Amino acid sequence: MGSSLSIDSRSGKVKSACVALAAVGPIPIVATKAAEFLVGKEPTDANIARAAELARDAAKPITDMR
């Protein structure tokens, strides 16, 4: 998983976000809902945890072990 956040220095809120997942599907996945959830919010532990849940929901693991 990789993520990137831009934080507004005045408000302390997320200006933009990107969350990407690898090795949880046949191709890398951009977890758009997770990133969109964070925008406009403070990067608190609770908000990060909720974004992680949304990212988990975006994962589509394959069943074989390749």
Side-chain angles (χ1 to χ4, degrees):
M1 179 174 148
S3 62
S4 173
L5 300 177
S6 292
I7 309 294
D8 184 285
S9 61
R10 291 183 187 187
S11 68
K13 295 182 179 181
V14 177
K15 289 193 304 186
S16 65
C18 182
V19 179
L21 309 172
V24 293
I27 61 171
I29 297 168
V30 177
T32 306
K33 289 182 182 180
E36 289 174 349
F37 170 79
L38 290 169
V39 174
K41 296 179 176 66
E42 293 182 359
T44 63
D45 288 344
N47 286 338
I48 300 288
R50 178 63 183 137
E53 290 172 0
L54 293 168
R56 180 196 62 215
D57 293 344
K60 306 262 186 278
I62 57 177
T63 57
D64 67 16
M65 296 301 290
R66 286 183 282 147

